[in-house]
Amino acid sequence: MKKHILAASLGLLSLAASSAYADIVVAIAGPMTGQYASAGDQIRKGAELAIADINAKGGVLGQKLKLEVGDDACDPKQAVSVANTMVNKKITFMHGHWCSSSTIPASDVYNEAQIPMATVSTNPQVTERGLKNIFRIMGRDDQQGLVAGTFLAEHFKGKKIAVVDDKSAYGKGLADEIAKAMEAKGAKPALRESITAGEKDYSGLVSKLKSAGVEVMAFGGYHTEVALILRQAQQAGLKLTVMGGDTMTNSELVTAAGPTADNVLFTFAPDPRKNPAAAGVVKKFRDAKVEPEGYVMYAYAAMQLFAEAATKAKSTKYADLEKALREGSFDTVIGKLGFDAKGDNKLPGFTVYQWKGGQYDYVKK
């Protein structure tokens, strides 16, 4: 009988010991399936390498990180379901979601559950609602819209410019900001149109653009629709230049649009691949046959951010993490990160890029 009691006691002790050193569960969420799945793939690859690197150095506070992955397919209802699932999995930190229309409702769930999150979603409402758990590691649409609209007004004087959006929180928000910035510079849009994302035929829009004599289209939305519009414009004999936002950083655009992708300009933060401090991580990705374009390095940076904040706080409790994130300054592969009272990046930057021959780079001023 004593043997049984001793065995049971030892079993409980080992269980207690293992739970004391259990993994810290962190998560990512975004479109892992659906038409924007290539963005989800970027996020996954970035987070996986970051976690492997952090764990190889001993983890966080002596514990290893374990990654959970949520797929919202950029659908707001699915995003809320993913958020609730992640709460039940007792995650300590979330990097997500990707589409602003998913991030906004999901963030309410994480906020209530007291889970801090880092996001690249750019719609101003992500941080304007007063939630304390959100930290945006990218700039906002009112910042990139200003850069895009000003560039269009100054570089395409005398050309007819249309402003088009896909009706999403991200797309409409960005298009409105571009139009506002253009008008401030005296360049009134020749057309203001909306499309429905996910359709395959945009010939109606192309006809409107052509008959109005439009040569440049500012677009609020995602790369998949831009590729279709460019191909259909080419078929209609319309040479169209497109100015998009940060979601144009996806090489799937080149695959889908072919040579017409060279007509795409877009705004994005300074290219982290050019950050000398990130050279070692960039090499690791490339050695693994992963090009760290778009959101790859942002996902890596989000995990660095969590690890640094937890280390500074000496804790993974929400109150300690939130305080550390709000007050701290963090060195990441995308540069130094710090946050204002709303949770916005203190040093946002947007510049204009252009696709050429399957690569994107800064537009030469």
Side-chain angles (χ1 to χ4, degrees):
M1 183 61 126
K2 280 181 182 172
K3 276 187 184 176
H4 287 309
I5 293 168
L6 184 62
S9 299
L10 288 171
L12 285 170
L13 281 170
S14 69
L15 189 66
S18 69
S19 66
Y21 296 100
D23 294 332
I24 297 170
V25 185
V26 295
I28 56 171
M32 304 299 158
T33 59
Q35 63 174 339
Y36 309 129
S38 53
D41 188 53
Q42 289 179 353
I43 294 162
R44 183 198 291 265
K45 283 171 176 166
E48 284 175 347
L49 182 60
I51 286 170
D53 285 351
I54 290 164
N55 284 344
K57 289 174 186 167
V60 174
L61 304 177
Q63 294 172 272
K64 294 292 172 79
L65 299 185
K66 180 189 170 204
L67 183 66
E68 288 286 345
V69 179
D71 176 20
D72 65 21
C74 274
D75 174 76
K77 284 183 184 170
Q78 206 163 312
V80 170
S81 172
V82 165
N84 282 311
T85 300
M86 291 300 176
V87 170
N88 291 336
K89 288 185 175 181
K90 298 189 165 33
I91 66 166
T92 304
F93 174 78
M94 163 58 72
H95 173 49
H97 292 212
W98 186 64
C99 289
S100 293
S101 55
S102 290
T103 300
I104 292 168
S107 61
D108 288 323
V109 178
Y110 301 122
N111 187 57
E112 193 175 329
Q114 297 200 316
I115 295 167
M117 59 189 289
T119 187
V120 293
S121 293
T122 51
N123 186 289
Q125 284 305 308
V126 168
T127 51
E128 287 291 337
R129 293 166 300 135
L131 303 188
K132 293 294 182 191
N133 68 319
I134 297 180
F135 299 89
R136 192 192 323 246
I137 60 175
M138 175 75 71
R140 297 160 47 125
D141 288 332
D142 44 3
Q143 293 158 343
Q144 71 170 330
L146 177 63
V147 172
T150 302
F151 183 92
L152 289 170
E154 291 175 354
H155 289 75
F156 294 97
K157 279 181 180 161
K159 306 268 189 194
K160 288 192 173 176
I161 305 170
V163 178
V164 180
D165 70 73
D166 68 353
K167 302 175 190 166
S168 70
Y170 162 71
K172 186 174 185 313
L174 177 58
D176 286 346
E177 293 295 342
I178 293 173
K180 192 162 83 178
M182 281 172 58
E183 287 178 14
K185 289 281 180 181
K188 189 171 169 57
L191 277 180
R192 182 73 177 88
E193 294 288 330
S194 294
I195 60 161
T196 301
E199 291 186 349
K200 298 288 178 248
D201 182 6
Y202 295 112
S203 56
L205 172 69
V206 170
S207 296
K208 275 187 184 176
L209 298 176
K210 194 175 178 183
S211 62
V214 167
E215 296 172 74
V216 183
M217 179 183 78
F219 185 71
Y222 299 88
H223 66 277
T224 40
E225 282 71 34
V226 165
L228 283 168
I229 292 166
L230 280 169
R231 277 199 177 277
Q232 289 166 22
Q234 186 184 40
Q235 287 159 9
L238 172 61
K239 189 173 188 300
L240 192 63
T241 297
V242 173
M243 169 64 86
D246 54 292
T247 56
M248 300 298 134
T249 52
N250 198 310
S251 54
E252 198 179 71
L253 171 70
V254 179
T255 311
T260 61
D262 285 0
N263 299 342
V264 176
L265 299 157
F266 63 91
T267 46
F268 192 52
D271 193 341
R273 296 175 296 183
K274 295 179 188 285
N275 176 7
V281 174
V282 170
K283 185 179 184 300
K284 267 192 189 178
F285 277 117
R286 288 176 174 160
D287 287 349
K289 302 287 185 282
V290 173
E291 181 52 39
E293 64 182 5
Y295 300 93
V296 175
M297 299 284 273
Y298 281 82
Y300 191 104
M303 295 304 156
Q304 285 182 305
L305 178 69
F306 167 73
E308 284 185 49
T311 302
K312 283 180 181 179
K314 298 184 176 61
S315 167
T316 57
K317 288 180 179 169
Y318 173 70
D320 301 330
L321 280 174
E322 192 258 333
K323 186 173 187 288
L325 285 163
R326 197 159 300 285
E327 295 175 0
S329 178
F330 307 90
D331 290 310
T332 76
V333 290
I334 61 170
K336 198 171 277 293
L337 286 174
F339 305 96
D340 65 17
K342 290 178 181 175
D344 280 321
N345 187 346
K346 279 183 183 174
L347 294 170
F350 283 100
T351 189
V352 179
Y353 293 78
Q354 182 162 15
W355 279 98
K356 280 286 177 207
Q359 306 287 326
Y360 63 76
D361 205 349
Y362 301 137
V363 168
K364 305 282 185 287
K365 293 284 168 83

